[in-house]
Amino acid sequence: MAEKTIPHFQNDVGVSVIHTGAKEFMCIGASPPFDHPHEFLDMGADDEIICPYCSTLYRYDPKLAAGESEPPECLWTGGPADLETARTGPAR
């Protein structure tokens, strides 16, 4: 079984629309530790979707790759370890 990476997006900059090349992704709201529950969003046949937690509007842009966004800083590049560290602080 092939693994598929699901891109994660956040809206720290507070834009009204995030354009993405992915139709399936996770919205985390803001960067940890201020993130909301990570919501899997699937646009299906539509070209836009609103996150039910933070009301960010995501709009599909076929010119972008699946792991890209406009503005580019809305792509969360941290991984699970980064999320845990942001919540609990660095290991001592």
Side-chain angles (χ1 to χ4, degrees):
M1 181 172 152
E3 287 192 32
K4 179 179 176 182
T5 302
I6 303 294
H8 289 57
F9 298 100
Q10 50 79 19
N11 195 5
D12 287 342
V13 292
V15 295
S16 58
V17 179
I18 297 175
H19 298 271
T20 176
K23 285 196 159 204
E24 296 178 348
F25 54 89
M26 300 288 281
C27 178
I28 68 170
S31 294
F34 305 108
D35 51 330
H36 63 52
H38 297 190
E39 183 72 16
F40 179 77
L41 301 174
D42 183 352
M43 290 185 198
D46 296 329
D47 287 334
E48 58 185 36
I49 194 167
I50 297 174
C51 175
Y53 283 96
C54 64
S55 300
T56 297
L57 173 62
Y58 289 91
R59 190 168 289 145
Y60 177 68
D61 184 344
K63 293 178 264 172
L64 296 172
E68 293 181 330
S69 68
E70 183 58 45
E73 59 268 23
C74 291
L75 176 66
W76 169 252
T77 56
D82 295 323
L83 292 172
E84 187 60 27
T85 300
R87 286 194 185 98
T88 62
R92 299 196 188 261

